[in-house]
Amino acid sequence: MSSPSHFGVVALVGRPNVGKSSLLNQILGSKVSIVSRRPQTTWREIDGIYTDDDSQLVIIDSPGMHQRPERLLSKIANQSARGAGSGADVLCQVIDARYWRAEDQDVLEHFSRRESPLWLILNKVDLLPSRDRVLPRIEMLREKHPWGEIVPVSAKSGYNCKNLSGLLGAAVPEGRAGYPVETLTNTSPRFLAAELIREQIFRQMGDEIPYCTGVVLTTFEDKADGTMEIDAEIWCETVGQKAALIGAGGARLKNIGSAARRQIGLVFDRPVSLSQRVKIRKGWAGDRRAVASLGYGE
Ligand code: GDP
Ligand code: MG
């Protein structure tokens, strides 16, 4: 790979569930950000670093803005979503191509006050009934704001995502790459591994578990034999949640563990041994120190 000549920061903003994390994963071609069918499972900014021959982009996947920030954890996620994009070279407002909701309007009003150019990304075009619905949607949305660009994509199929990264690469300033070309993220490996476990909890528990489930790694070690050793504590708030997480005869926890182990192994490219313990930490999501110790704070 030759040395890229453009370098810049791109922030993905938008209401929860429009596909920001999926888009980041599609652009990077790997699993840097956590995708989940449940909204609000990204609590913190996770940055991806995309590099091609011409450009390097630091892409910030911001957590969705929560609607009722009663609890501290939600407040932190909110602060970080509102602050997302300060200093970005391009802000991309991601929407579901099928809708323009009041929350999308709120996001637009918030981010259109920034200095950075604002682009509109129409994601999930694969869900439109046919391709000829794309242009009319674009024409309608053009009225909402003098967007820098309007780009239809599908984070799921990959449609037009290469084109998007090319357009972004050309739009960011000229400059030398800030990271080695093989870098995929500047998020800490430890946090990433904990998020991969949390993703499996959400995938396998569905609505049985509130989104305030935390994962803290008490051991995170690269062993001399090339394997990785992880001890994880899963924090929940009630006896009932603990029982649900463990499941009959421990089956649930075992499934979560084996799926998480596989994912972490793929991301870090080595065999992983994982042990898990479920702990009840009542009210942890409202405790600033507990939240910070999991890496969700500053
Ligand atoms: P975020 O909250 O904005 O980060 O959204 P996610 O990336 O977590 O995606 C929310 C849901 O939308 C997940 O179930 C994704 O699989 C789904 N999704 C994301 N992008 C697409 C897309 O282009 N097409 C379809 N059909 N589904 C998508
Ligand atoms: Mg997300």
Side-chain angles (χ1 to χ4, degrees):
M1 199 178 282
S2 65
S3 197
S5 56
H6 287 71
F7 175 68
V9 177
V10 173
L12 305 178
V13 301
R15 65 175 171 86
N17 231 11
V18 290
K20 299 177 295 297
S21 304
S22 307
L23 183 60
L24 177 58
N25 287 338
Q26 177 63 248
I27 290 173
L28 297 181
S30 74
K31 220 174 163 58
V32 164
S33 197
I34 306 303
V35 187
S36 166
R37 278 179 300 279
R38 278 171 68 98
Q40 306 184 342
T41 45
T42 313
W43 283 342
R44 217 194 70 151
E45 288 180 17
I46 294 181
D47 301 349
I49 298 170
Y50 167 84
T51 310
D52 65 19
D53 286 344
D54 306 314
S55 63
Q56 184 171 70
L57 304 168
V58 178
I59 306 177
I60 302 169
D61 175 19
S62 59
M65 281 191 251
H66 296 212
Q67 288 181 292
R68 274 179 299 152
E70 278 116 17
R71 306 184 76 174
L72 179 66
L73 188 59
S74 316
K75 278 189 198 142
I76 287 172
N78 254 342
Q79 271 171 11
S80 118
R82 296 236 167 235
S86 35
D89 295 300
V90 179
L91 285 165
C92 288
Q93 177 170 0
V94 182
I95 63 165
D96 183 322
R98 294 169 295 171
Y99 319 103
W100 179 266
R101 297 226 165 115
E103 294 158 277
D104 296 310
Q105 186 67 33
D106 292 345
V107 172
L108 170 60
E109 274 158 28
H110 180 77
F111 288 101
S112 57
R113 284 184 241 125
R114 299 292 178 81
E115 304 266 295
S116 321
L118 185 60
W119 292 18
L120 180 65
I121 313 302
L122 275 73
N123 186 33
K124 309 197 188 185
V125 294
D126 58 290
L127 295 178
L128 291 173
S130 75
R131 273 283 151 83
D132 13 301
R133 299 293 176 89
V134 178
L135 272 178
R137 289 300 292 157
I138 291 178
E139 287 319 313
M140 194 212 94
L141 293 161
R142 198 184 293 287
E143 319 269 289
K144 309 242 175 237
H145 181 76
W147 308 101
E149 294 275 355
I150 303 180
V151 187
V153 298
S154 167
K156 189 174 182 188
S157 73
Y159 163 77
N160 216 24
C161 291
K162 265 251 147 321
N163 182 36
L164 173 61
S165 42
L167 289 169
L168 288 167
V172 300
E174 281 185 31
R176 296 217 348 251
Y179 297 89
V181 294
E182 68 280 3
T183 315
L184 274 177
T185 181
N186 54 14
T187 300
S188 85
R190 195 183 189 111
F191 183 76
L192 191 56
E195 287 289 276
L196 287 165
I197 298 172
R198 217 159 64 87
E199 176 188 20
Q200 287 309 321
I201 296 172
F202 285 105
R203 282 207 187 286
Q204 303 200 23
M205 303 290 293
D207 290 331
E208 278 178 73
I209 200 90
Y211 73 91
C212 317
T213 300
V215 174
V216 64
L217 304 186
T218 51
T219 308
F220 183 75
E221 247 180 67
D222 268 327
K223 312 289 276 184
D225 64 1
T227 66
M228 184 176 250
E229 186 176 319
I230 299 175
D231 295 323
E233 282 180 8
I234 299 173
W235 291 0
C236 60
E237 297 204 299
T238 65
V239 177
Q241 288 167 9
K242 180 172 176 175
L245 274 160
I246 293 173
R252 203 39 131 352
L253 192 60
K254 209 168 151 199
N255 289 340
I256 291 169
S258 54
R261 198 156 39 71
R262 234 182 353 262
Q263 291 296 349
I264 297 168
L266 281 174
V267 170
F268 293 95
D269 198 22
R270 71 201 68 173
V272 173
S273 75
L274 171 64
S275 79
Q276 308 179 101
R277 282 167 56 200
V278 182
K279 289 201 159 178
I280 300 173
R281 296 272 310 239
K282 218 169 167 30
W284 75 267
D287 172 356
R288 183 173 287 276
R289 278 207 359 247
V291 170
S293 75
L294 266 65
Y296 298 117
E298 278 66 64

